[in-house]
Every structure is written in structure tokens, then in C-alpha cells.
Amino acid sequence: MARILLLDDEEALLRLMADVLEHEGHDVITSTDGRRSEERDLIMTLDLVVTDLMMPNSDGLEVVRNVRSANPGLKILAISGGGRAVSQNYLPAAQALGADDILHKPFRPSAFLEKVKSLLVK
């Protein structure tokens, strides 16, 4: 199946997303920090990056820029909660920078899995 990098500083959500994807047979790498997107060798081995937008050290917008620079064809799913205003402002910005799709938190695991499946077949 696919090799997926999950980036989210909410550890419970990170584990839930990883469990959902691993149950589907995907190889999942997790990190609570967006700095993993700076690892070009890693980025070149992935099929998908799922990134939260609001994280310490390196936010999701920076992740999108890093991934697009290192591997322009790599699919990116940007996720965000943090209140209505944050989601409304940052998710469209993530798409403008190159995220292939967005998902508002909170979300159901089934909605998350559908977004992932859709991006992996594109």
C-alpha cells in the first residue's frame, strides 16, 4: 500500500489517524513536528503527507512549501481545527500553496479515510 507521513501536534489524533491508515495496510510515519518535512530523503519516499496547519516549530503552511519544493508531485492533505476562523483562513491558504485537499477538524475517521483514498488514486 502507500507510505504516508502524518504530522500533527495532537498526539491522540495522530495515533487515531495512524491506526486508521495502518488498519488499511498503509506504512505510516508519524511526527508531532512539521520539521520532518525538511527531510528531503524521506519526502522522496512518500506517497502522501497529511499535515495539521497549527503546529509548533514548523507549521503546516511551511510543510506544504517544503514538500512542494522537494517533491512537487507528492500529494498533500492539510487538516485544521483551532476554531472556525483559523480553519477558514488557513485551509484555503494551504490549498493556494499547493495542498491537494483539505479537511476540517473535527472529522470522522471514515471521512479522513475517504480523503486519503481519493488522493492516493489521483
Side-chain angles (χ1 to χ4, degrees):
M1 299 295 309
R3 188 160 195 233
I4 302 170
L5 175 61
L6 298 177
L7 304 168
D8 198 311
D9 61 329
E10 293 180 49
E11 290 188 34
L13 180 58
L14 188 64
R15 186 72 251 150
L16 173 66
M17 290 187 295
D19 288 347
V20 166
L21 295 175
E22 287 168 348
H23 184 263
E24 293 291 312
H26 298 293
D27 178 22
V28 179
I29 301 160
T30 62
S31 180
T32 58
D33 191 316
R35 286 187 282 185
R36 292 296 305 265
S37 70
E38 297 169 12
E39 298 175 25
R40 286 188 173 282
D41 291 342
L42 171 64
I43 296 302
M44 296 308 293
T45 68
L46 300 172
D47 299 297
L48 175 67
V49 172
V50 178
T51 185
D52 185 22
L53 293 183
M54 305 304 289
M55 294 181 292
N57 301 319
S58 181
D59 65 37
L61 297 178
E62 190 172 342
V63 168
V64 172
R65 283 190 296 269
N66 290 340
V67 169
R68 280 290 158 254
S69 173
N71 188 350
L74 181 57
K75 299 296 183 183
I76 303 170
L77 173 61
I79 60 175
S80 186
R84 237 176 117 77
V86 170
S87 292
Q88 287 179 349
N89 292 331
Y90 288 108
L91 285 171
Q95 280 188 303
L97 287 172
D100 297 288
D101 206 348
I102 58 173
L103 184 61
H104 295 269
K105 292 181 189 177
F107 50 79
R108 294 176 162 252
S110 58
F112 169 68
L113 190 56
E114 291 216 10
K115 290 276 189 182
V116 167
K117 286 180 178 178
S118 171
L119 287 170
L120 291 174
V121 292
K122 287 184 180 178

